[in-house]
Amino acid sequence: MAADRLTVVGRSVPRLDARDKVTGAARYVSDLVLPGMAHAKLWRSPVAHARIIRVETERAAAVSGVLAVLTVADLPVKRLYYGPAYRDQPILAHEVIRYAGEPVVAVVADSEAHAEAALAHVDVRYDERPAATSAEEALAPGAPLIHPKLDRAGHFRDLSGLRPVPGTNICQHFEYERGDLARAFGEADLVVEDVYRYPALSHHALEAHCAVARVDADGLTVWAGTQHPFPVRKDLAEIFDLPLAAVQVVVPLVGGAFGGKCYTKIEPLVAALATKVRKPVRLALSLEESARTITRHAVTVRLRTAVGRDGTLLARQCEVVLDTGAYADIGPRVATKTGYRAPGPYRIPSLRIDSKCVYTNNVPAGAYRGYGVPQVTWACESQMDVIAERLDIDPLALRRKNLLKRGEEYVAGDTPMDGDMAEGLEQTARAVGWSAPLARGRGRGLACAMKDGGGTHTVSTAVVRINADGSVALLAGSVEVGQGARTALAQVVAETLGVPFETVVVVPPDTSITPYDHGTSASRSTTVMGLAVEAAARDAREQLLALAAKLLDTDASALAVGDGTITHGDRRLTVAEVISGHYGLVGGEVTGVGSFVPGKWSGTLGGATVFWETGMGAAEIEVDPETGAVKVVKYVSAADVGQAINPRECAAQDEGAAMQGIGPALFESRVSERGQLLNPGLIDYRVPAFTDLPGELDSLLIENADGPGPFGAKGVGEGGTFCAAPAIGNALARATGVRLTELPMTPERVWRALRAAGRVENP
Amino acid sequence: MREIPMTVVVNGEKHELTVPAWETLIECLRDRLGLLGVKKSCDVQVCGACTVLLDDRPVSACTVLAFEARGKSLRTIEGLARGDELHPVQEAFVEHGALQCGFCTPGMIMATVALLGENPRPTADEVKHYMRGNICRCTGYKRILEAILDASRRMSGGAKGNGGAKGNDGAKGNDGAKGNGGTKGTDGR
């Protein structure tokens, strides 16, 4: 369908949930109240690594209102361990404590206050052990072995290729090599080598992790703020030895996630507690506790690149080390993907990639908006500017020279580049005023990156029900974490069916009602679920037209659909008239079913991707030499969205992502000492505030309707996070001649670097 | 256990309550009065998700004790729209797409109402500084800023001549029942 004939898709309709959200009517998991509901609180380990000797619960159990005080041994479960890559994480600490903050004991009481009061009376005796609290320590000879044995979860095809290194803390070792590296480095005109560091970060979605569980004759129901209701259902079914049909996972609105609510987190524990006390149980973590549940990987990248005199990239060697914490979570896949994307979106004949995912005695690290790309892009795009500077080539021209062109393969057998990155970067540079004169103390920098989008070998299914009154219900398991998926999917349904947008209702994810979906991550909802939804709507439309054709005594191909009406010449039938006409009563419905099943897994490196999600960013900054403070005067982000289903929401996603890149660029960072997180909450962990909004923040949407999704859409949402740090770092270097290789670029770090370089006078 | 009897007007409705001395205002509003639009996030007065208006002044309900609202008037997000008719700030947030996950939105909107009460035509910088205590992790703030500036234009257009621009303290002294009715005129302060 040509873009100019679209009526609903491509329009910035208001979000379906906007009114509820501005009136306070919107309900999240943390708002759920069930009759007779009990509340749980967790006793967390103060030490990073220890053997549990004894847990004394009697005094805590005697506290008023307390229903149960439980250790892992008391939980009524078939299996203690879970995890998407390895089944390595116990529901509560089992014999061993592996990180400071790990839940060891759960208290269930009639109120949160009583549960909290009882925590003070829990007495845990443990024998502290040496801890490895950084990847370097965990890789050192003689490091404590955090998981002597590993049990593969077997959940995913791509993870069946897990390569742990026995006898070490490496739970995934990803390697790739092509070309003649030695020769390329030998013949290069320039070889640059740098080490870049990216710290661990906290997601700090404003709604902390929360789940409520209830057990009754029908089975187990869990309401959870999860991005993966179906994988969580699978884990629960296995943990409690129940059929999938007896486990129901329901997801209302989610107060932010950013990857922090991917896969199973607190759900098995809440379900076990509800089973034990025979009452509904709610566990609402504090924001600090969420920060002790999951983090973004701290990553070290050693990058060595061989370049010709004209700036042609000849070879690159990437060594990536990720600190995945005490439990692997989805870290092994993050490590694989991080390695996969470490070279950047360039044509490089010879390549060697080595990416290690390392267990440490830190908080587990998992998914976080970009899945490792922001970390390696910090390295890769900083070094591109180092190369440009050494060769005296304009950074934009250097990138243009090496960027993959549309249709060019990144790795043989993988999806070829499906957009025009050089053109996108050009537009971004123009928007920031790349070649305009600069005021003193100012600099401009840019960066670009790409990520395989849509998830690896993931499935989505959807059902579209046209009701007898002409209203339409969409059953889709995509979680509304704020990205606007429900609105975009409703637009796809309305456009495909030819009905008004207002007639479409989207049913929230409920594993017992909405059909299977892999999950809400990897910028996949609009594209991958979007295709399933479009197919379901087409199916429903064909059935509807067949019914109408019978009623009108004509051929379905002779009918036109639009605005909820089916027309044949001057004869018209509303959708409602078709359905009631067919069934001969005022009831009945038409049900359309659709699915997305990925193509055969191919490719030698990361596998075929649904689409490439690209991100382009450019910054103009001002540096205060007195304080080292960096102010972002202007930031331009560009996202190739193929076709924007809802342009305003696409741009809003990209802007939000850009801010989630600017925060870590300038100030965000988890600070730990010997495994103790020193800034768990928002008092000490600074996230971007209103005053951090750049003087100008712009998002460019590139729309060539060339995506694989409905109406040519591509996923959006992660790309904006990729480039902020390197673009700002490159701007800093161009403004001052000083380059930082470790984030965040705090005023102190910048000031010290300026002083070390003699750029500021000593007072 | 010290229990404190209190009268408080919430969204124009008078409540007689007895609260423990240590009960926080957010607990009182959510658990006692069922006002679940008041969101709990950081719990330490940093994020602003629980912002409510106490005698028209923005406070973080997580760190105010319930009894401190004794004899005062409280306004939460639930008290802003009038039936189906949204408050101009709410309208502006919807129209500008100034929300994503929406968890910060009630607090963000209440802080905006307070801001526009104190300063009906703020500059962009004034908005940024006033709203610094309200964190949004999703949007990047740009659209929220645009919504606030737009709401300011709409409200000062509609509220001219009611003399309420400095009306913050006006609700003090009475029980606050008036002026919390959510009419466009009073909201225009």
Side-chain angles (χ1 to χ4, degrees), chain A residues 14-15 17-19 21-24 26-28 30-31 33 112 202-207 254-256 258 282 287-288 368-369 480-483 648-649 651-653 655-657 659-660 668 682-683 685-695 697-699, chain B residues 27 30-31 34-44 46-47 49 77-78 80-81 83-86 89-91 93-97 99-106 108-109 125 127-129 131-132 134-145 148:
Chain A
R15 301 171 59 101
D17 51 20
R19 200 180 169 90
K21 284 175 173 174
V22 300
T23 56
R27 289 291 171 261
Y28 302 78
S30 48
D31 297 323
V33 180
E112 279 192 289
S202 294
H203 300 72
H204 281 322
L206 283 196
E207 185 186 33
V254 176
F258 317 117
R282 173 185 192 257
L287 215 60
E288 288 85 346
Y368 188 153
R369 210 167 190 172
E480 184 54 71
V481 292
Q483 82 283 39
R648 190 190 55 219
E649 293 301 321
Q653 276 292 299
E655 289 158 14
M659 276 302 261
Q660 245 169 22
E668 263 188 69
L682 286 182
I683 289 180
Y685 185 101
R686 188 154 119 55
V687 299
F690 235 117
T691 39
D692 297 309
L693 179 61
L697 175 65
D698 290 323
S699 172
Chain B
E27 289 169 323
R30 284 183 62 91
D31 304 342
L35 296 169
L36 298 173
V38 184
K39 297 299 178 204
K40 178 173 157 177
S41 180
C42 78
D43 219 17
V44 286
V46 176
C47 75
I77 190 74
E78 286 89 349
L80 214 52
D84 280 346
E85 193 187 338
L86 295 181
V89 174
Q90 292 172 313
E91 269 175 11
F93 270 63
V94 172
E95 284 170 26
H96 287 266
L99 57 96
Q100 288 181 20
C101 87
F103 209 74
C104 73
T105 307
M108 198 67 83
I109 288 177
D125 271 347
V127 171
K128 288 184 192 175
H129 283 95
M131 300 296 292
R132 201 188 181 287
N134 286 78
I135 287 169
C136 174
R137 197 68 167 138
C138 300
T139 62
Y141 300 105
K142 178 186 170 180
R143 278 151 213 277
I144 300 180
L145 175 65
I148 294 172

Side-chain angles (χ1 to χ4, degrees), chain A residues 267-421:
Chain A
E267 297 85 359
L269 175 59
V270 186
L273 298 177
T275 308
K276 188 78 182 182
V277 303
R278 297 165 177 275
K279 273 173 175 255
V281 172
R282 173 185 192 257
L283 173 62
L285 301 189
S286 66
L287 215 60
E288 288 85 346
E289 285 182 292
S290 278
R292 291 189 164 105
T293 302
I294 194 75
T295 77
R296 173 182 273 183
H297 288 88
V299 178
T300 304
V301 186
R302 178 181 294 276
L303 212 54
R304 191 164 163 252
T305 307
V307 197
R309 188 165 291 113
D310 65 349
T312 305
L313 298 178
L314 304 172
R316 186 163 252 185
Q317 210 177 333
C318 317
E319 284 173 37
V320 186
V321 177
L322 298 90
D323 175 350
T324 208
Y327 300 107
D329 196 270
I330 200 67
R333 183 191 269 158
V334 176
T336 301
K337 300 280 187 179
T338 303
Y340 182 37
R341 299 134 179 178
Y346 303 108
R347 188 183 312 109
I348 310 175
S350 297
L351 207 53
R352 179 142 86 209
I353 304 169
D354 183 299
S355 177
K356 294 189 183 82
C357 190
V358 184
Y359 279 127
T360 64
N361 293 113
N362 288 329
V363 174
Y368 188 153
R369 210 167 190 172
Y371 233 63
V373 177
Q375 291 100 317
V376 288
T377 301
W378 163 238
C380 182
E381 288 300 283
S382 292
Q383 197 180 66
M384 284 303 278
D385 266 43
V386 172
I387 294 165
E389 196 187 306
R390 300 252 186 105
L391 294 175
D392 196 22
I393 300 177
D394 177 72
L396 175 60
L398 177 72
R399 286 175 174 82
R400 203 193 294 121
K401 186 176 196 66
N402 291 287
L403 271 172
L404 292 169
K405 291 186 164 60
R406 182 190 292 275
E408 214 175 323
E409 279 181 322
Y410 180 58
V411 172
D414 280 9
T415 306
M417 171 49 64
D418 53 3
D420 189 343
M421 283 191 77

Side-chain angles (χ1 to χ4, degrees), chain A residues 390-733:
Chain A
R390 300 252 186 105
L391 294 175
D392 196 22
I393 300 177
D394 177 72
L396 175 60
L398 177 72
R399 286 175 174 82
R400 203 193 294 121
K401 186 176 196 66
N402 291 287
L403 271 172
L404 292 169
K405 291 186 164 60
R406 182 190 292 275
E408 214 175 323
E409 279 181 322
Y410 180 58
V411 172
D414 280 9
T415 306
M417 171 49 64
D418 53 3
D420 189 343
M421 283 191 77
E423 170 58 26
L425 189 61
E426 199 85 44
Q427 282 185 34
T428 312
R430 212 160 31 230
V432 86
W434 184 246
S435 34
L438 273 166
R440 203 177 135 76
R442 289 199 178 187
R444 294 191 193 100
L446 47 75
C448 57
M450 70 178 192
K451 166 187 184 290
D452 43 319
T456 301
H457 205 86
T458 62
V459 170
S460 286
T461 57
V463 167
V464 167
R465 294 170 64 188
I466 309 176
N467 293 296
D469 62 352
S471 66
V472 179
L474 168 63
L475 279 66
S478 290
V479 178
E480 184 54 71
V481 292
Q483 82 283 39
R486 289 167 66 169
T487 307
L489 294 175
Q491 288 179 263
V492 170
V493 170
E495 189 72 60
T496 309
L497 276 180
V499 298
F501 174 68
E502 295 72 26
T503 61
V504 184
V505 169
V506 187
V507 177
D510 178 334
T511 57
S512 295
I513 297 171
T514 49
Y516 181 85
D517 176 43
H518 168 74
T520 303
S521 59
S523 309
R524 67 186 294 280
S525 290
T526 305
T527 309
V528 177
M529 177 56 88
L531 288 171
V533 166
E534 189 188 26
R538 279 221 181 102
D539 183 25
R541 182 188 146 117
E542 277 166 29
Q543 293 180 48
L544 187 73
L545 286 179
L547 299 184
K550 253 199 280 178
L551 292 172
L552 293 167
D553 198 21
T554 180
D555 201 73
S557 60
L559 300 175
V561 198
D563 216 18
T565 313
I566 291 116
T567 49
H568 179 243
D570 54 2
R571 295 173 70 196
R572 313 165 63 82
L573 284 176
T574 63
V575 171
E577 282 164 348
V578 174
I579 293 176
S580 60
H582 172 72
Y583 286 100
L585 48 96
V586 285
E589 68 178 56
V590 167
T591 306
V593 180
S595 63
F596 174 89
V597 181
K600 199 168 170 288
W601 190 30
S602 64
T604 46
L605 186 39
T609 178
V610 183
F611 62 96
W612 287 104
E613 181 173 0
T614 57
M616 280 81 45
E620 179 171 334
I621 64 156
E622 190 170 271
V623 188
D624 181 345
E626 303 279 321
T627 63
V630 172
K631 190 173 127 195
V632 182
V633 179
K634 183 170 184 171
Y635 190 80
V636 179
S637 179
D640 180 353
V641 300
Q643 160 73 51
I645 303 294
N646 186 316
R648 190 190 55 219
E649 293 301 321
C650 282
Q653 276 292 299
D654 198 49
E655 289 158 14
M659 276 302 261
Q660 245 169 22
I662 291 171
L666 297 179
F667 43 80
E668 263 188 69
S669 165
R670 284 165 73 97
V671 181
S672 295
E673 219 173 270
R674 304 299 314 150
Q676 299 289 342
L677 178 61
L678 301 182
N679 58 346
L682 286 182
I683 289 180
D684 297 317
Y685 185 101
R686 188 154 119 55
V687 299
F690 235 117
T691 39
D692 297 309
L693 179 61
E696 275 181 69
L697 175 65
D698 290 323
S699 172
L700 305 176
L701 298 184
I702 299 164
E703 291 185 271
N704 296 316
D706 54 357
F711 307 99
K714 292 178 192 174
V716 61
E718 296 172 281
T721 60
F722 302 162
C723 295
I728 292 169
N730 290 339
L732 174 69

Side-chain angles (χ1 to χ4, degrees), chain A residues 79-163:
Chain A
R79 207 179 76 200
L80 283 183
Y81 289 84
Y82 64 94
Y86 297 105
R87 288 175 187 145
D88 60 355
Q89 186 157 12
I91 297 171
L92 286 171
H94 180 221
E95 293 169 359
V96 178
I97 290 162
R98 293 189 180 84
Y99 72 92
E102 178 164 11
V104 181
V105 181
V107 177
V108 186
D110 58 358
S111 72
E112 279 192 289
H114 284 144
E116 180 91 49
L119 287 182
H121 302 286
V122 171
D123 187 12
V124 180
R125 298 290 158 88
Y126 48 80
D127 180 17
E128 205 172 342
R129 294 170 152 198
T133 56
S134 70
E136 286 78 4
E137 281 175 34
L139 287 172
L145 206 54
I146 294 162
H147 292 274
K149 272 199 309 195
L150 283 174
D151 179 14
R152 286 161 197 249
H155 272 294
F156 306 111
R157 267 174 82 174
D158 67 316
L159 288 179
S160 62
L162 280 179
R163 289 183 55 219

